[in-house]
Amino acid sequence: MASFNILAAGARPFSLSSPKPLLRLRSTASKFAIRSLHARNETHTANIVLVGAGWWSQGWHLPHLSRNEKVNISAIVDTSTHPQSNLNPHLEPLDTLAKRYNCPVYHSLTDLLKDPIGQTMDGAIVCTPHSTHYAIGRELIEEGKRRYNAATSHATDLAYRPINVLMEKPMTTNVKEAKELHDLLMERQIVGSMGAEGERSETNREVSVGGGVGCFLINHSANYRPQARAARSLIQSGKLGMIRHVSAFFASPLSWIFDDPANTGWNEPDDSGEMLGNGFAWGQSSHLLAWIYHVAGCENLIPTRVYCAMTTSERTGADVSHAATVICKNGATFSLSGTSLLPGNAHSDPPVGKRIAIKIFGDKGALIYSIDRDPSSGKLEWLRGDDPHENSGAVEIQVPERGFQFEELEQSGIGPESLQSFIDACLGGSNYYVGADALVGLRSVQTIDAMYRSHVSGNAESVRYC
């Protein structure tokens, strides 16, 4: 594999002869030495591997990465020689992708990690079926741990390269697996914490040892946008007071996905026996829940019980609509409504925009954010209630120049803010934004799991904390 050097038109040369300089660490590392691992290197590219070469990878990730001068696509991993998707019947085989993006291909992550190319990897994007996320995520985290332990077990300097991960949503579709990934990542924390605005910095970040001093981000692109950052900052500042209620609505023009029997990965539960259903909740509401938990704060909204009713497709059995009530540990509640029955197609030309409305109410104010893909269609509003004698009910527009923006779905350019945060971490940056971490992923999985169980039982169900 190391001799693979086919160069496609427009692709940057692939070279193993001049990789990004490795970070070095002694076994007697102090906190200062560990933090020194995060020194930014502006002059080299990040070696990024794409795990999964299906619809989203070929339509979004690979083109985005190939246009970014700071990125070298070092490998593509897929179990199939020719990925297939009903969402795009024209996917290219791996050998064509290898020529187009000037990189080797592998048929398992294990094979890649055994190869010298795998050892030069700075980060991996996981874009595979939901049910495979846990095994792939765990293997990457364990590889980061192995690298770190190898570096710290010797008295002399050894090359050390952290592994960063960008996981597609949902983190998993299994609470136990999500909890195991979360706990494995939490074993890595030794100093620091995440700031109120989600920034990692030299003086305020998690230094994650066991998993390889790298980031673990989930690709909920809406969470990384300026409006989400402003909303989170506003709530973390205390201007809304204690969060008491959330009302959230999400409609997607995606019936063509959830009503088509050929789209088994979107519509059928996996064979684990843990999934009681599949459809809109896992495929779309995971975005909405991740935004709520990130912006409002996982410490403010700890779900304990969920009641949910769903409607399903007669053709596939997939859920296409739901109405849920979530009760949190501190007594806060939120209502969650979603449907794929919005007419149109989110990926047509021109696309039909999704419709979103999120309202967060505290005892000192409220935050309202809506409506669709057109930025001019809505805005992020803070309704003041912090002073009952002055300006109560007054509206202040946050990030007025940006309007409403939720997911970033553009195929042109170098990709969404979530991808840029991941690349920044791969380059050694210390101020990358963490819009969705493992705890946000876990909370979303726990809530959706309880929604499905409630729909099946007809009763309110306790959230699993196994």
Side-chain angles (χ1 to χ4, degrees), residues 45-65:
T45 57
N47 293 326
I48 294 177
V49 168
L50 188 65
V51 184
W55 173 56
W56 200 262
S57 292
Q58 294 197 27
W60 284 265
H61 287 315
L62 284 168
H64 287 157
L65 292 171

mmCIF file with all atom_site columns, all heavy atoms in Angstrom, residues 45-65:
data_model
loop_
_atom_site.group_PDB
_atom_site.id
_atom_site.type_symbol
_atom_site.label_atom_id
_atom_site.label_alt_id
_atom_site.label_comp_id
_atom_site.label_asym_id
_atom_site.label_entity_id
_atom_site.label_seq_id
_atom_site.pdbx_PDB_ins_code
_atom_site.Cartn_x
_atom_site.Cartn_y
_atom_site.Cartn_z
_atom_site.occupancy
_atom_site.B_iso_or_equiv
_atom_site.pdbx_formal_charge
_atom_site.auth_seq_id
_atom_site.auth_comp_id
_atom_site.auth_asym_id
_atom_site.auth_atom_id
_atom_site.pdbx_PDB_model_num
ATOM 1   N N   . THR A 1 45 ? -0.113  19.645 6.738  1.00 0.00 ? 45 THR A N   1
ATOM 2   C CA  . THR A 1 45 ? -1.484  19.199 6.514  1.00 0.00 ? 45 THR A CA  1
ATOM 3   C C   . THR A 1 45 ? -1.856  18.112 7.502  1.00 0.00 ? 45 THR A C   1
ATOM 4   O O   . THR A 1 45 ? -1.001  17.447 8.085  1.00 0.00 ? 45 THR A O   1
ATOM 5   C CB  . THR A 1 45 ? -1.651  18.663 5.085  1.00 0.00 ? 45 THR A CB  1
ATOM 6   O OG1 . THR A 1 45 ? -0.719  17.605 4.874  1.00 0.00 ? 45 THR A OG1 1
ATOM 7   C CG2 . THR A 1 45 ? -1.429  19.766 4.068  1.00 0.00 ? 45 THR A CG2 1
ATOM 8   N N   . ALA A 1 46 ? -3.156  17.933 7.674  1.00 0.00 ? 46 ALA A N   1
ATOM 9   C CA  . ALA A 1 46 ? -3.679  16.885 8.538  1.00 0.00 ? 46 ALA A CA  1
ATOM 10  C C   . ALA A 1 46 ? -3.949  15.642 7.700  1.00 0.00 ? 46 ALA A C   1
ATOM 11  O O   . ALA A 1 46 ? -4.593  15.717 6.649  1.00 0.00 ? 46 ALA A O   1
ATOM 12  C CB  . ALA A 1 46 ? -4.965  17.361 9.209  1.00 0.00 ? 46 ALA A CB  1
ATOM 13  N N   . ASN A 1 47 ? -3.453  14.506 8.160  1.00 0.00 ? 47 ASN A N   1
ATOM 14  C CA  . ASN A 1 47 ? -3.709  13.231 7.494  1.00 0.00 ? 47 ASN A CA  1
ATOM 15  C C   . ASN A 1 47 ? -5.026  12.668 8.005  1.00 0.00 ? 47 ASN A C   1
ATOM 16  O O   . ASN A 1 47 ? -5.112  12.238 9.160  1.00 0.00 ? 47 ASN A O   1
ATOM 17  C CB  . ASN A 1 47 ? -2.574  12.244 7.766  1.00 0.00 ? 47 ASN A CB  1
ATOM 18  C CG  . ASN A 1 47 ? -1.275  12.669 7.127  1.00 0.00 ? 47 ASN A CG  1
ATOM 19  O OD1 . ASN A 1 47 ? -1.270  13.260 6.050  1.00 0.00 ? 47 ASN A OD1 1
ATOM 20  N ND2 . ASN A 1 47 ? -0.165  12.401 7.790  1.00 0.00 ? 47 ASN A ND2 1
ATOM 21  N N   . ILE A 1 48 ? -6.034  12.667 7.157  1.00 0.00 ? 48 ILE A N   1
ATOM 22  C CA  . ILE A 1 48 ? -7.380  12.277 7.570  1.00 0.00 ? 48 ILE A CA  1
ATOM 23  C C   . ILE A 1 48 ? -7.834  11.051 6.786  1.00 0.00 ? 48 ILE A C   1
ATOM 24  O O   . ILE A 1 48 ? -7.696  10.987 5.560  1.00 0.00 ? 48 ILE A O   1
ATOM 25  C CB  . ILE A 1 48 ? -8.362  13.438 7.390  1.00 0.00 ? 48 ILE A CB  1
ATOM 26  C CG1 . ILE A 1 48 ? -7.988  14.567 8.364  1.00 0.00 ? 48 ILE A CG1 1
ATOM 27  C CG2 . ILE A 1 48 ? -9.802  12.990 7.615  1.00 0.00 ? 48 ILE A CG2 1
ATOM 28  C CD1 . ILE A 1 48 ? -8.852  15.804 8.237  1.00 0.00 ? 48 ILE A CD1 1
ATOM 29  N N   . VAL A 1 49 ? -8.385  10.100 7.510  1.00 0.00 ? 49 VAL A N   1
ATOM 30  C CA  . VAL A 1 49 ? -8.918  8.861  6.935  1.00 0.00 ? 49 VAL A CA  1
ATOM 31  C C   . VAL A 1 49 ? -10.438 8.932  6.957  1.00 0.00 ? 49 VAL A C   1
ATOM 32  O O   . VAL A 1 49 ? -11.033 9.392  7.939  1.00 0.00 ? 49 VAL A O   1
ATOM 33  C CB  . VAL A 1 49 ? -8.436  7.640  7.750  1.00 0.00 ? 49 VAL A CB  1
ATOM 34  C CG1 . VAL A 1 49 ? -9.202  6.388  7.356  1.00 0.00 ? 49 VAL A CG1 1
ATOM 35  C CG2 . VAL A 1 49 ? -6.944  7.447  7.575  1.00 0.00 ? 49 VAL A CG2 1
ATOM 36  N N   . LEU A 1 50 ? -11.058 8.485  5.888  1.00 0.00 ? 50 LEU A N   1
ATOM 37  C CA  . LEU A 1 50 ? -12.515 8.405  5.827  1.00 0.00 ? 50 LEU A CA  1
ATOM 38  C C   . LEU A 1 50 ? -12.929 6.947  5.957  1.00 0.00 ? 50 LEU A C   1
ATOM 39  O O   . LEU A 1 50 ? -12.545 6.116  5.131  1.00 0.00 ? 50 LEU A O   1
ATOM 40  C CB  . LEU A 1 50 ? -13.045 8.992  4.521  1.00 0.00 ? 50 LEU A CB  1
ATOM 41  C CG  . LEU A 1 50 ? -14.562 9.137  4.437  1.00 0.00 ? 50 LEU A CG  1
ATOM 42  C CD1 . LEU A 1 50 ? -15.070 10.138 5.464  1.00 0.00 ? 50 LEU A CD1 1
ATOM 43  C CD2 . LEU A 1 50 ? -14.992 9.574  3.044  1.00 0.00 ? 50 LEU A CD2 1
ATOM 44  N N   . VAL A 1 51 ? -13.685 6.646  7.003  1.00 0.00 ? 51 VAL A N   1
ATOM 45  C CA  . VAL A 1 51 ? -14.172 5.288  7.232  1.00 0.00 ? 51 VAL A CA  1
ATOM 46  C C   . VAL A 1 51 ? -15.629 5.234  6.783  1.00 0.00 ? 51 VAL A C   1
ATOM 47  O O   . VAL A 1 51 ? -16.510 5.813  7.408  1.00 0.00 ? 51 VAL A O   1
ATOM 48  C CB  . VAL A 1 51 ? -14.056 4.891  8.715  1.00 0.00 ? 51 VAL A CB  1
ATOM 49  C CG1 . VAL A 1 51 ? -14.481 3.437  8.901  1.00 0.00 ? 51 VAL A CG1 1
ATOM 50  C CG2 . VAL A 1 51 ? -12.629 5.098  9.216  1.00 0.00 ? 51 VAL A CG2 1
ATOM 51  N N   . GLY A 1 52 ? -15.884 4.563  5.669  1.00 0.00 ? 52 GLY A N   1
ATOM 52  C CA  . GLY A 1 52 ? -17.210 4.534  5.062  1.00 0.00 ? 52 GLY A CA  1
ATOM 53  C C   . GLY A 1 52 ? -17.237 5.402  3.824  1.00 0.00 ? 52 GLY A C   1
ATOM 54  O O   . GLY A 1 52 ? -16.948 6.599  3.893  1.00 0.00 ? 52 GLY A O   1
ATOM 55  N N   . ALA A 1 53 ? -17.562 4.812  2.667  1.00 0.00 ? 53 ALA A N   1
ATOM 56  C CA  . ALA A 1 53 ? -17.502 5.538  1.388  1.00 0.00 ? 53 ALA A CA  1
ATOM 57  C C   . ALA A 1 53 ? -18.848 5.533  0.684  1.00 0.00 ? 53 ALA A C   1
ATOM 58  O O   . ALA A 1 53 ? -18.934 5.345  -0.528 1.00 0.00 ? 53 ALA A O   1
ATOM 59  C CB  . ALA A 1 53 ? -16.424 4.928  0.489  1.00 0.00 ? 53 ALA A CB  1
ATOM 60  N N   . GLY A 1 54 ? -19.918 5.740  1.443  1.00 0.00 ? 54 GLY A N   1
ATOM 61  C CA  . GLY A 1 54 ? -21.263 5.725  0.886  1.00 0.00 ? 54 GLY A CA  1
ATOM 62  C C   . GLY A 1 54 ? -21.742 7.070  0.401  1.00 0.00 ? 54 GLY A C   1
ATOM 63  O O   . GLY A 1 54 ? -20.957 7.948  0.016  1.00 0.00 ? 54 GLY A O   1
ATOM 64  N N   . TRP A 1 55 ? -23.059 7.243  0.452  1.00 0.00 ? 55 TRP A N   1
ATOM 65  C CA  . TRP A 1 55 ? -23.736 8.417  -0.112 1.00 0.00 ? 55 TRP A CA  1
ATOM 66  C C   . TRP A 1 55 ? -23.181 9.724  0.436  1.00 0.00 ? 55 TRP A C   1
ATOM 67  O O   . TRP A 1 55 ? -22.801 10.617 -0.325 1.00 0.00 ? 55 TRP A O   1
ATOM 68  C CB  . TRP A 1 55 ? -25.238 8.289  0.183  1.00 0.00 ? 55 TRP A CB  1
ATOM 69  C CG  . TRP A 1 55 ? -26.074 9.478  -0.172 1.00 0.00 ? 55 TRP A CG  1
ATOM 70  C CD1 . TRP A 1 55 ? -26.158 10.077 -1.391 1.00 0.00 ? 55 TRP A CD1 1
ATOM 71  C CD2 . TRP A 1 55 ? -26.954 10.198 0.688  1.00 0.00 ? 55 TRP A CD2 1
ATOM 72  N NE1 . TRP A 1 55 ? -27.058 11.131 -1.343 1.00 0.00 ? 55 TRP A NE1 1
ATOM 73  C CE2 . TRP A 1 55 ? -27.560 11.218 -0.074 1.00 0.00 ? 55 TRP A CE2 1
ATOM 74  C CE3 . TRP A 1 55 ? -27.320 10.070 2.032  1.00 0.00 ? 55 TRP A CE3 1
ATOM 75  C CZ2 . TRP A 1 55 ? -28.493 12.111 0.468  1.00 0.00 ? 55 TRP A CZ2 1
ATOM 76  C CZ3 . TRP A 1 55 ? -28.248 10.951 2.562  1.00 0.00 ? 55 TRP A CZ3 1
ATOM 77  C CH2 . TRP A 1 55 ? -28.816 11.960 1.785  1.00 0.00 ? 55 TRP A CH2 1
ATOM 78  N N   . TRP A 1 56 ? -23.142 9.858  1.754  1.00 0.00 ? 56 TRP A N   1
ATOM 79  C CA  . TRP A 1 56 ? -22.724 11.135 2.336  1.00 0.00 ? 56 TRP A CA  1
ATOM 80  C C   . TRP A 1 56 ? -21.229 11.360 2.139  1.00 0.00 ? 56 TRP A C   1
ATOM 81  O O   . TRP A 1 56 ? -20.787 12.484 1.888  1.00 0.00 ? 56 TRP A O   1
ATOM 82  C CB  . TRP A 1 56 ? -23.096 11.194 3.817  1.00 0.00 ? 56 TRP A CB  1
ATOM 83  C CG  . TRP A 1 56 ? -23.127 12.604 4.320  1.00 0.00 ? 56 TRP A CG  1
ATOM 84  C CD1 . TRP A 1 56 ? -22.154 13.279 4.991  1.00 0.00 ? 56 TRP A CD1 1
ATOM 85  C CD2 . TRP A 1 56 ? -24.205 13.546 4.157  1.00 0.00 ? 56 TRP A CD2 1
ATOM 86  N NE1 . TRP A 1 56 ? -22.541 14.561 5.261  1.00 0.00 ? 56 TRP A NE1 1
ATOM 87  C CE2 . TRP A 1 56 ? -23.801 14.757 4.763  1.00 0.00 ? 56 TRP A CE2 1
ATOM 88  C CE3 . TRP A 1 56 ? -25.468 13.474 3.571  1.00 0.00 ? 56 TRP A CE3 1
ATOM 89  C CZ2 . TRP A 1 56 ? -24.622 15.888 4.797  1.00 0.00 ? 56 TRP A CZ2 1
ATOM 90  C CZ3 . TRP A 1 56 ? -26.290 14.600 3.608  1.00 0.00 ? 56 TRP A CZ3 1
ATOM 91  C CH2 . TRP A 1 56 ? -25.865 15.784 4.214  1.00 0.00 ? 56 TRP A CH2 1
ATOM 92  N N   . SER A 1 57 ? -20.445 10.327 2.225  1.00 0.00 ? 57 SER A N   1
ATOM 93  C CA  . SER A 1 57 ? -19.000 10.478 2.038  1.00 0.00 ? 57 SER A CA  1
ATOM 94  C C   . SER A 1 57 ? -18.658 10.930 0.622  1.00 0.00 ? 57 SER A C   1
ATOM 95  O O   . SER A 1 57 ? -17.855 11.846 0.422  1.00 0.00 ? 57 SER A O   1
ATOM 96  C CB  . SER A 1 57 ? -18.295 9.155  2.342  1.00 0.00 ? 57 SER A CB  1
ATOM 97  O OG  . SER A 1 57 ? -18.374 8.846  3.713  1.00 0.00 ? 57 SER A OG  1
ATOM 98  N N   . GLN A 1 58 ? -19.277 10.283 -0.375 1.00 0.00 ? 58 GLN A N   1
ATOM 99  C CA  . GLN A 1 58 ? -18.961 10.628 -1.759 1.00 0.00 ? 58 GLN A CA  1
ATOM 100 C C   . GLN A 1 58 ? -19.567 11.962 -2.185 1.00 0.00 ? 58 GLN A C   1
ATOM 101 O O   . GLN A 1 58 ? -19.013 12.654 -3.038 1.00 0.00 ? 58 GLN A O   1
ATOM 102 C CB  . GLN A 1 58 ? -19.419 9.512  -2.699 1.00 0.00 ? 58 GLN A CB  1
ATOM 103 C CG  . GLN A 1 58 ? -18.643 8.218  -2.500 1.00 0.00 ? 58 GLN A CG  1
ATOM 104 C CD  . GLN A 1 58 ? -18.787 7.254  -3.665 1.00 0.00 ? 58 GLN A CD  1
ATOM 105 O OE1 . GLN A 1 58 ? -19.025 7.648  -4.808 1.00 0.00 ? 58 GLN A OE1 1
ATOM 106 N NE2 . GLN A 1 58 ? -18.635 5.960  -3.383 1.00 0.00 ? 58 GLN A NE2 1
ATOM 107 N N   . GLY A 1 59 ? -20.705 12.318 -1.587 1.00 0.00 ? 59 GLY A N   1
ATOM 108 C CA  . GLY A 1 59 ? -21.355 13.563 -1.972 1.00 0.00 ? 59 GLY A CA  1
ATOM 109 C C   . GLY A 1 59 ? -20.879 14.779 -1.203 1.00 0.00 ? 59 GLY A C   1
ATOM 110 O O   . GLY A 1 59 ? -20.957 15.910 -1.706 1.00 0.00 ? 59 GLY A O   1
ATOM 111 N N   . TRP A 1 60 ? -20.358 14.565 0.016  1.00 0.00 ? 60 TRP A N   1
ATOM 112 C CA  . TRP A 1 60 ? -19.999 15.687 0.885  1.00 0.00 ? 60 TRP A CA  1
ATOM 113 C C   . TRP A 1 60 ? -18.563 15.582 1.407  1.00 0.00 ? 60 TRP A C   1
ATOM 114 O O   . TRP A 1 60 ? -17.732 16.427 1.076  1.00 0.00 ? 60 TRP A O   1
ATOM 115 C CB  . TRP A 1 60 ? -20.987 15.788 2.048  1.00 0.00 ? 60 TRP A CB  1
ATOM 116 C CG  . TRP A 1 60 ? -22.304 16.378 1.667  1.00 0.00 ? 60 TRP A CG  1
ATOM 117 C CD1 . TRP A 1 60 ? -22.704 17.683 1.777  1.00 0.00 ? 60 TRP A CD1 1
ATOM 118 C CD2 . TRP A 1 60 ? -23.434 15.688 1.094  1.00 0.00 ? 60 TRP A CD2 1
ATOM 119 N NE1 . TRP A 1 60 ? -23.989 17.851 1.309  1.00 0.00 ? 60 TRP A NE1 1
ATOM 120 C CE2 . TRP A 1 60 ? -24.464 16.642 0.892  1.00 0.00 ? 60 TRP A CE2 1
ATOM 121 C CE3 . TRP A 1 60 ? -23.674 14.358 0.744  1.00 0.00 ? 60 TRP A CE3 1
ATOM 122 C CZ2 . TRP A 1 60 ? -25.702 16.299 0.357  1.00 0.00 ? 60 TRP A CZ2 1
ATOM 123 C CZ3 . TRP A 1 60 ? -24.896 14.015 0.203  1.00 0.00 ? 60 TRP A CZ3 1
ATOM 124 C CH2 . TRP A 1 60 ? -25.898 14.981 0.008  1.00 0.00 ? 60 TRP A CH2 1
ATOM 125 N N   . HIS A 1 61 ? -18.274 14.582 2.240  1.00 0.00 ? 61 HIS A N   1
ATOM 126 C CA  . HIS A 1 61 ? -16.993 14.556 2.940  1.00 0.00 ? 61 HIS A CA  1
ATOM 127 C C   . HIS A 1 61 ? -15.792 14.555 2.004  1.00 0.00 ? 61 HIS A C   1
ATOM 128 O O   . HIS A 1 61 ? -14.863 15.360 2.174  1.00 0.00 ? 61 HIS A O   1
ATOM 129 C CB  . HIS A 1 61 ? -16.913 13.342 3.864  1.00 0.00 ? 61 HIS A CB  1
ATOM 130 C CG  . HIS A 1 61 ? -17.762 13.449 5.093  1.00 0.00 ? 61 HIS A CG  1
ATOM 131 N ND1 . HIS A 1 61 ? -17.819 14.600 5.864  1.00 0.00 ? 61 HIS A ND1 1
ATOM 132 C CD2 . HIS A 1 61 ? -18.583 12.553 5.702  1.00 0.00 ? 61 HIS A CD2 1
ATOM 133 C CE1 . HIS A 1 61 ? -18.637 14.407 6.882  1.00 0.00 ? 61 HIS A CE1 1
ATOM 134 N NE2 . HIS A 1 61 ? -19.122 13.184 6.802  1.00 0.00 ? 61 HIS A NE2 1
ATOM 135 N N   . LEU A 1 62 ? -15.763 13.645 1.049  1.00 0.00 ? 62 LEU A N   1
ATOM 136 C CA  . LEU A 1 62 ? -14.588 13.549 0.182  1.00 0.00 ? 62 LEU A CA  1
ATOM 137 C C   . LEU A 1 62 ? -14.366 14.816 -0.652 1.00 0.00 ? 62 LEU A C   1
ATOM 138 O O   . LEU A 1 62 ? -13.236 15.335 -0.698 1.00 0.00 ? 62 LEU A O   1
ATOM 139 C CB  . LEU A 1 62 ? -14.682 12.311 -0.710 1.00 0.00 ? 62 LEU A CB  1
ATOM 140 C CG  . LEU A 1 62 ? -14.386 10.980 -0.006 1.00 0.00 ? 62 LEU A CG  1
ATOM 141 C CD1 . LEU A 1 62 ? -14.795 9.799  -0.878 1.00 0.00 ? 62 LEU A CD1 1
ATOM 142 C CD2 . LEU A 1 62 ? -12.902 10.886 0.357  1.00 0.00 ? 62 LEU A CD2 1
ATOM 143 N N   . PRO A 1 63 ? -15.410 15.364 -1.310 1.00 0.00 ? 63 PRO A N   1
ATOM 144 C CA  . PRO A 1 63 ? -15.188 16.620 -2.034 1.00 0.00 ? 63 PRO A CA  1
ATOM 145 C C   . PRO A 1 63 ? -14.749 17.759 -1.116 1.00 0.00 ? 63 PRO A C   1
ATOM 146 O O   . PRO A 1 63 ? -13.866 18.545 -1.475 1.00 0.00 ? 63 PRO A O   1
ATOM 147 C CB  . PRO A 1 63 ? -16.557 16.900 -2.669 1.00 0.00 ? 63 PRO A CB  1
ATOM 148 C CG  . PRO A 1 63 ? -17.194 15.562 -2.794 1.00 0.00 ? 63 PRO A CG  1
ATOM 149 C CD  . PRO A 1 63 ? -16.754 14.800 -1.585 1.00 0.00 ? 63 PRO A CD  1
ATOM 150 N N   . HIS A 1 64 ? -15.366 17.869 0.073  1.00 0.00 ? 64 HIS A N   1
ATOM 151 C CA  . HIS A 1 64 ? -14.978 18.929 1.005  1.00 0.00 ? 64 HIS A CA  1
ATOM 152 C C   . HIS A 1 64 ? -13.512 18.805 1.403  1.00 0.00 ? 64 HIS A C   1
ATOM 153 O O   . HIS A 1 64 ? -12.754 19.787 1.375  1.00 0.00 ? 64 HIS A O   1
ATOM 154 C CB  . HIS A 1 64 ? -15.853 18.868 2.264  1.00 0.00 ? 64 HIS A CB  1
ATOM 155 C CG  . HIS A 1 64 ? -17.252 19.340 2.058  1.00 0.00 ? 64 HIS A CG  1
ATOM 156 N ND1 . HIS A 1 64 ? -18.295 18.954 2.869  1.00 0.00 ? 64 HIS A ND1 1
ATOM 157 C CD2 . HIS A 1 64 ? -17.799 20.173 1.141  1.00 0.00 ? 64 HIS A CD2 1
ATOM 158 C CE1 . HIS A 1 64 ? -19.411 19.518 2.452  1.00 0.00 ? 64 HIS A CE1 1
ATOM 159 N NE2 . HIS A 1 64 ? -19.139 20.262 1.401  1.00 0.00 ? 64 HIS A NE2 1
ATOM 160 N N   . LEU A 1 65 ? -13.099 17.607 1.779  1.00 0.00 ? 65 LEU A N   1
ATOM 161 C CA  . LEU A 1 65 ? -11.723 17.404 2.210  1.00 0.00 ? 65 LEU A CA  1
ATOM 162 C C   . LEU A 1 65 ? -10.741 17.664 1.075  1.00 0.00 ? 65 LEU A C   1
ATOM 163 O O   . LEU A 1 65 ? -9.666  18.238 1.283  1.00 0.00 ? 65 LEU A O   1
ATOM 164 C CB  . LEU A 1 65 ? -11.543 15.974 2.730  1.00 0.00 ? 65 LEU A CB  1
ATOM 165 C CG  . LEU A 1 65 ? -12.275 15.612 4.033  1.00 0.00 ? 65 LEU A CG  1
ATOM 166 C CD1 . LEU A 1 65 ? -12.181 14.109 4.295  1.00 0.00 ? 65 LEU A CD1 1
ATOM 167 C CD2 . LEU A 1 65 ? -11.731 16.398 5.216  1.00 0.00 ? 65 LEU A CD2 1
#
